[in-house]
Amino acid sequence: MLRATLRSVLSRKLRLVLSGLAVVLGVMFVAGAFVLTDTLGRSFDNLFTTVYAHTDVEVTAKPKVAVAEADGEQVPANLPAAAVADVLGVPGVADAYGLAMADGARVIGRDGKVVSSAGAPQFGTNWTDKDPTVHLREGSRAPAADTEVAMNAALAEAAGLAVGDQVGILTLAPKKTFTLVGIFGYDRDRDSIGGTHVVAFTEPVAQQLMLGEPGTYTSIQVTADDGVPDGTVRDRIAATLGDAYQVKTGEQAAAEQSANLKQFLTFFNNILLGFAGVALFVGVFLIVNTFSIIVAQRTRELALMRAVGANRRQIVGSVLLEALLIGVLASLLGLGAGIGVGGVMARLAASFGGDLELAGLGVPATAVIAAFTVGVLVTMVAALIPALRASRIPPMAALQEAATPDRPLTRITVIGAGVFAAGATTLGVGLSGVGDATLWTVLAGVLVSFVGVALLTPVIARPAVSLIGRLFSWSVPGKLGRLNSGRNPRRTAITAAALMVGIALITGVTTVLASATTSLTKIVNEAVQADLVISGLQTGPRPPTFDPAVLDRTAQLPGVEAVAGGSFDEALVDGDRTGVAAVSDMGALQRIAMLKPTAGRVDALADGQAALDADRAARDGITVGQTVTIQLSRGEPHTYTVTGIYARNEMIAGWLLPPSATRDFGIPQPVQAFVTVADGTPVPEVKAQVAALLADSPEVSVGDREEFVAQQTSDVDTVLVMIQVLLALAILIPMWTPCW
Amino acid sequence: MTPVAARAVDVWKVYGQGEAEVTALRGVTVELERGRFTAIMGPSGSGKSTLMHCLAGLDEVTRGEVYIGETRLAGLGDTGLTRLRRDQVGFVFQQFNLLPTLTAEENILLPLAIARRRPDPAWFTTVIETVGLGDRLSHRPSQLSGGQQQRVACARALITRPDVVFADEPTGNLDSRSGAEVLGFLRTSVRDFGQTIVMVTHDPNAASYADRVVFLADGAAVAELAGPTAESVLDTMKRLDALAAVA
């Protein structure tokens, strides 16, 4: 029996392997996701182990506003320089020094553009000769004056700079120009660690530009005396400094940073698993199709088996065994391809994110287990219905020439209608927004309705085919094709269903993304009267910013009516974390965004005043005249009085603060500005003038509303193309297999 | 043990309903003796194939009873019928129905493999010698002639030592020499091993190899011949045709 099945599989190996192609692709994505995550994860571990190699204990201050890695940038709190002396006094501490190091030192390269680190941090730090892994290259020296900087070799090369060059750098402050006096590398002659770009200033400059506060550090790096365990030193320092500090061993810090970075991998993982899902969904249809054909072809053979004593279970088993073999083979091929894809993607990601040193390719046990579980399970579940159909072949079929007649479509139609009705109901419930898991309800509804439609396809197939077929029936092949596809509506339907999945998915994704673009256009047109928008496309965790002086200078340009710029921060308002915006000119914003006050006034915000949208005010029970305590990323908590409540619109919502609040912002510089131009003044003229003002802020540009929408949605198009290519890969390639 | 290997008692078989109703068997009663070679003959549409299907448990009867040995077929259910086919019945088909991917030997042993039983080497050798396939065992069906394929099919039917072997027009697709060979060792297996064989045929020459011929016409058993020759079978058929013409 086993041998008969195996031989039968081998005799059809090409068709079976091809029908398994969708499963191969699905498994490939699954395995690739695991391999990628594992390889990059271990690379991150190695990276941070290197970074903390010479740090036994690290001291940081607790952040003022805790932000999860996935939600945005957390601004580390500054700790006073005096804390270094406290740490040095702790027994067991051999040495300790402060680092004023923060992300956001953007160097302007030779070409006048901000040098991209492709996602890796762009650190600005104080120069210290205490780090034994840092080595100045030949002809270099440490920055000694406040106008001098050093940078790591990777950054110098990317910027096209050499020792002696003048270099513009954007930090918390707008562009400042320095002299490059030193280029440094690391142990083993590396140009960068993990692709990071590092600029080293003198200590006071680093504190001012990177931390926004003189006399402070972001961390204290501690070396322990020989023979004293790191943990002991950590506990002693923690006891000395008290609760406001976080004290970790180097090992702990490395593990935590690595874990933070790994969260981003989850995102990649989910995308890959999404494509795996698509490929496998298509795979199910194709396998059902292939096995239905095989079972039909093998009718006499299976009937003979029944005639010589095989029971139903054996017939089901024989078909399922065939599916198992394909599943195992597809999983094996998919696993191999997945390891390759994961490896290539890890390499791409590593070179993309600067120069991450890649750990050896890792194939975790989970990848193997997931690959085989998914591949085998999907194949066998898909083959179950054809297998059950095979077991119903009567032994009589062995004696008859004609195949068993097609069963009536009544049952499948009734079931299909039922499933479709259930799916449509679920979809309706989901769309009406009742219940909590609306998105999931909608997704489930769509999926179930789809299966319902697929089940109904045989009924639709005959009339549809005859209608479409009429177009081609002038030719003999056309006529034959029409008759052939009408003859077996089940087969026609199941083949069409596989294609249906593909088209539905591509249409769905395109619709969602097109809707996003359309609604953004609508929002911008309806909610904002601005003639020009200053903004940049955010590509990393930090938003693009520009010099706040540009706002004043733009306002003074002839023909400019109003300018409203916004800076953004994460804050705790009465203890609840929320985003806040500081508006440069509230009066201008009110006119440009057509803000309507529902209580108080929103045409101006003085120091210590705040405005809030009506929805949020109602939710939190806030009224005009009330005071709230706001803790921003830096500094101490301040009390604000609510002076205005406005009706929210699509662009403006939430807490609005006066310009003075930016003092305590993590990134005080404006991210976006709206400009209105007086009637009669040509907009392009003003635009050119604003563009000139932005010369030193290369991260942003000025454009009219149309250009703004195009800029903000430019990555939507990229995403769309990527998704369509991957969907094509997952769907269309396996589609031609039934032709074999 | 009764001398009857299989019997049909007042078997009716009706296909379809209403206007499309066709009565294939009308009250057939027949007993097939153990250890004998019985041929069922009749013109096309006489119900001879239907009778065999009902006797073999491949088709359900509309009314009446069928027994194989002491086993009553009605109400056996799928499991019971499967066991019956596995242990008590063997088939030889007109189309040979070998699995194209298996060798001759594997095809012969297929029923035992399905039943997860070990072959009896002595019996295997005997069967192989009887059908004369010794040097062809490792060949695929596509590498064998029609006669050789049917001999493999016969060996497959004999290998389980069933109570009854049902052969459906076994020589229908063979030239006369190959047909004679197949019929020859079907008879040998009856004579030498006491195998019971029931064969459906419309060929008087094939029927002459049997110990007894049962004639069917219009769904009823109408005549019988013991120790037939090709001439006596032909004569009986002519007589039945004449009767039918009169009626």
Side-chain angles (χ1 to χ4, degrees):
Chain A
M1 191 78 196
L2 180 71
R3 196 178 303 167
T5 306
L6 293 181
R7 291 278 174 76
S8 145
V9 172
L10 283 177
S11 68
R12 287 186 306 274
K13 47 187 177 295
L14 185 64
R15 154 168 277 173
L16 289 174
V17 166
L18 286 173
S19 75
L21 206 57
V23 179
V24 173
L25 282 168
V27 171
M28 180 187 85
F29 283 122
V30 171
F34 279 101
V35 170
L36 175 69
T37 313
D38 181 78
T39 307
L40 284 184
R42 281 181 304 111
S43 306
F44 291 158
D45 288 342
N46 292 351
L47 169 65
F48 287 106
T49 308
T50 311
V51 170
Y52 283 97
H54 292 276
T55 300
D56 294 329
V57 175
E58 184 185 56
V59 181
T60 54
K62 284 194 177 141
K64 304 265 184 182
V65 180
V67 180
E69 188 82 17
D71 292 348
E73 277 288 86
Q74 174 169 291
V75 179
N78 301 336
L79 44 82
V84 178
D86 294 343
V87 171
L88 278 168
V90 172
V93 171
D95 197 8
Y97 62 95
L99 272 185
M101 186 177 199
D103 191 5
R106 290 141 298 156
V107 170
I108 298 169
R110 240 179 208 302
D111 55 2
K113 289 186 183 143
V114 169
V115 177
S116 164
S117 64
Q122 300 172 301
F123 287 121
T125 182
N126 53 327
W127 173 263
T128 164
D129 46 19
K130 302 238 180 184
D131 187 341
T133 62
V134 170
H135 310 287
L136 281 169
R137 295 273 163 91
E138 257 191 41
S140 292
R141 63 177 175 81
D146 288 351
T147 56
E148 293 174 348
V149 291
M151 58 179 63
N152 68 5
L155 173 54
E157 198 192 334
L161 296 169
V163 170
D165 284 347
Q166 296 293 299
V167 49
I169 301 173
L170 308 174
T171 53
L172 290 181
K175 178 181 159 184
K176 282 199 185 335
T177 306
F178 297 85
T179 310
L180 179 61
V181 297
I183 292 175
F184 56 86
Y186 303 87
D187 282 353
R188 294 198 277 138
D189 213 26
R190 279 188 277 188
D191 289 347
S192 164
I193 291 179
T196 51
H197 287 171
V198 181
V199 183
F201 306 92
T202 57
E203 188 163 296
V205 175
Q207 289 168 336
Q208 188 59 51
L209 295 186
M210 299 315 302
L211 313 188
E213 205 179 342
T216 56
Y217 293 118
T218 44
S219 70
I220 301 171
Q221 308 291 314
V222 180
T223 338
D225 280 329
D226 286 346
V228 186
D230 295 350
T232 312
V233 176
R234 174 195 59 198
D235 295 344
R236 284 183 198 159
I237 294 173
T240 308
L241 292 179
D243 276 351
Y245 295 88
Q246 293 173 327
V247 187
K248 292 166 195 162
T249 63
E251 221 168 286
Q252 274 178 316
E256 272 177 34
Q257 297 234 21
S258 184
N260 275 342
L261 215 47
K262 280 177 194 167
Q263 287 183 2
F264 284 108
L265 291 179
T266 324
F267 176 70
F268 274 113
N269 236 357
N270 289 344
I271 291 182
L272 287 175
L273 292 178
F275 284 116
V278 170
L280 293 171
F281 193 59
V282 174
V284 167
F285 281 89
L286 290 173
I287 286 172
V288 170
N289 192 17
T290 308
F291 272 86
S292 300
I293 294 171
I294 288 173
V295 165
Q297 284 175 342
R298 285 180 67 197
T299 300
R300 284 182 73 100
E301 221 173 279
L302 293 166
L304 172 85
M305 298 244 206
R306 293 281 282 141
V308 297
N311 57 29
R312 280 191 182 161
R313 224 179 22 234
Q314 283 174 308
I315 299 293
V316 172
S318 123
V319 176
L320 285 186
L321 179 65
E322 214 166 294
L324 176 72
L325 287 171
I326 296 169
V328 168
L329 187 65
S331 302
L332 209 62
L333 291 175
L335 180 63
I339 293 170
V341 164
V344 168
M345 285 188 66
R347 189 150 304 198
L348 275 178
S351 64
F352 194 66
D355 227 349
L356 181 63
E357 202 169 307
L358 211 54
L361 188 65
V363 183
T366 43
V368 180
I369 294 167
F372 280 95
T373 311
V374 165
V376 170
L377 214 64
V378 163
T379 319
M380 292 192 61
V381 166
L384 194 62
I385 291 172
L388 290 173
R389 199 176 301 155
S391 77
R392 283 198 298 263
I393 294 174
M396 273 286 279
L399 293 116
Q400 287 164 338
E401 284 293 338
T404 40
D406 222 14
R407 280 174 303 139
L409 298 171
T410 327
R411 206 165 64 127
I412 196 171
T413 306
V414 169
I415 294 174
V419 171
F420 179 69
T425 312
T426 315
L427 186 61
V429 169
L431 287 177
S432 70
V434 185
D436 301 327
T438 316
L439 181 65
W440 292 113
T441 321
V442 170
L443 276 180
V446 167
L447 213 65
V448 174
S449 321
F450 194 90
V451 173
V453 170
L455 288 173
L456 286 173
T457 325
V459 188
I460 311 164
R462 217 186 292 252
V465 159
S466 98
L467 209 66
I468 300 165
R470 261 172 236 291
L471 290 176
F472 298 99
S473 31
W474 49 266
S475 71
V476 174
K479 207 174 286 178
L480 285 175
R482 174 168 71 94
L483 294 175
N484 219 4
S485 10
R487 197 184 57 186
N488 189 343
R490 278 166 197 273
R491 191 189 55 197
T492 306
I494 208 155
T495 311
L499 198 56
M500 259 160 56
V501 179
I503 291 174
L505 281 168
I506 289 178
T507 318
V509 168
T510 313
T511 307
V512 167
L513 291 180
S515 308
T517 307
T518 311
S519 60
L520 183 63
T521 311
K522 199 168 152 236
I523 287 165
V524 170
N525 284 334
E526 282 178 5
V528 182
Q529 291 291 296
D531 298 303
L532 294 170
V533 181
I534 300 173
S535 67
L537 184 62
Q538 183 165 352
T539 51
R542 295 177 58 88
T545 58
F546 57 95
D547 186 348
V550 170
L551 294 174
D552 298 332
R553 285 192 224 138
T554 303
Q556 285 156 19
L557 288 176
V560 169
E561 245 181 17
V563 179
S567 310
F568 302 93
D569 198 25
E570 293 292 325
L572 295 174
V573 177
D574 283 345
D576 292 330
R577 193 169 71 73
T578 176
V580 297
V583 182
S584 69
D585 182 342
M586 198 60 198
L589 183 70
Q590 191 193 6
R591 265 172 289 149
I592 296 169
M594 299 168 290
L595 285 188
K596 294 188 180 50
T598 60
R601 41 189 301 186
V602 292
D603 57 348
L605 282 175
D607 290 357
Q609 296 183 337
L612 180 64
D613 70 77
D615 294 3
R616 188 83 80 83
R619 194 193 76 188
D620 296 348
I622 286 170
T623 52
V624 168
Q626 199 171 331
T627 59
V628 291
T629 306
I630 300 183
Q631 167 69 63
L632 297 163
S633 284
R634 300 180 200 278
E636 297 306 313
H638 292 289
T639 304
Y640 285 83
T641 308
V642 178
T643 55
I645 290 174
Y646 61 93
R648 61 171 292 172
N649 67 31
E650 298 290 348
M651 285 296 272
I652 316 285
W655 285 98
L656 302 179
L657 303 178
S660 60
T662 56
R663 259 199 321 263
D664 289 338
F665 272 27
I667 300 169
Q669 293 180 62
V671 171
Q672 205 170 56
F674 300 122
V675 180
T676 48
V677 176
D679 289 342
T681 313
V683 174
E685 213 167 274
V686 178
K687 183 182 154 188
Q689 285 170 304
V690 176
L693 292 176
L694 289 170
D696 283 344
S697 303
E699 288 180 302
V700 297
S701 59
V702 60
D704 56 26
R705 279 192 298 213
E706 222 165 277
E707 287 168 321
F708 171 64
V709 171
Q711 179 196 50
Q712 295 299 311
T713 55
S714 63
D715 48 354
V716 171
D717 296 333
T718 320
V719 169
L720 195 63
V721 170
M722 259 178 57
I723 289 181
Q724 286 178 342
V725 166
L726 280 169
L727 280 179
L729 193 74
I731 297 158
L732 296 178
I733 293 181
M735 275 313 298
W736 46 253
T737 57
C739 309
W740 289 70
Chain B
M1 197 184 268
T2 62
V4 177
R7 64 196 159 103
V9 183
D10 191 23
V11 164
W12 288 72
K13 178 69 188 177
V14 181
Y15 293 107
Q17 279 175 341
E19 287 190 20
E21 191 176 284
V22 176
T23 307
L25 298 176
R26 10 181 131 244
V28 176
T29 299
V30 64
E31 288 195 341
L32 306 167
E33 299 93 327
R34 192 175 295 281
R36 298 197 59 184
F37 190 172
T38 308
I40 300 176
M41 280 212 75
S44 293
S46 61
K48 59 184 190 298
S49 285
T50 306
L51 176 62
M52 196 196 88
H53 296 160
C54 291
L55 280 170
L58 292 175
D59 211 348
E60 282 182 8
V61 301
T62 310
R63 222 169 73 203
E65 294 287 356
V66 173
Y67 296 85
I68 294 206
E70 291 301 300
T71 316
R72 180 168 163 265
L73 260 49
L76 268 187
D78 188 66
T79 316
L81 284 173
T82 300
R83 192 169 302 137
L84 178 94
R85 286 195 288 268
R86 183 179 284 184
D87 300 332
Q88 291 176 265
V89 174
F91 290 106
V92 178
F93 303 99
Q94 183 175 0
Q95 308 287 343
F96 321 142
N97 282 39
L98 302 177
L99 293 195
T101 52
L102 298 184
T103 63
E105 178 173 356
E106 287 161 349
N107 264 297
I108 293 169
L109 294 175
L110 183 66
L112 293 176
I114 284 173
R116 297 197 180 83
R117 269 191 234 135
R118 295 189 161 281
D120 170 356
W123 178 239
F124 179 72
T125 313
T126 310
V127 170
I128 296 304
E129 278 170 4
T130 309
V131 297
L133 274 170
D135 55 341
R136 297 275 168 179
L137 287 180
S138 57
H139 287 57
R140 295 281 173 87
S142 58
Q143 297 163 322
L144 299 174
S145 71
Q148 287 167 334
Q149 288 188 54
Q150 195 61 304
R151 283 191 260 161
V152 172
C154 291
R156 181 179 63 192
L158 293 172
I159 197 73
T160 57
R161 296 199 236 223
D163 289 350
V164 191
V165 168
F166 291 99
D168 186 10
E169 303 270 13
T171 57
N173 274 14
L174 299 178
D175 62 61
S176 55
R177 217 186 97 210
S178 309
E181 280 170 17
V182 167
L183 290 165
F185 58 72
L186 283 181
R187 194 167 60 187
T188 308
S189 65
V190 173
R191 198 178 53 223
D192 295 359
F193 317 134
Q195 179 65 56
T196 310
I197 295 182
V198 177
M199 174 177 73
V200 166
T201 184
H202 63 268
D203 175 7
N205 195 42
S208 70
Y209 283 79
D211 300 320
R212 170 190 172 212
V213 182
V214 176
F215 292 89
L216 251 62
D218 273 339
V222 290
E224 252 196 70
L225 260 182
T229 62
E231 290 73 32
S232 64
V233 172
L234 206 56
D235 286 346
T236 312
M237 285 179 78
K238 278 180 185 157
R239 193 163 48 82
L240 291 174
D241 275 350
L243 273 176
V246 171

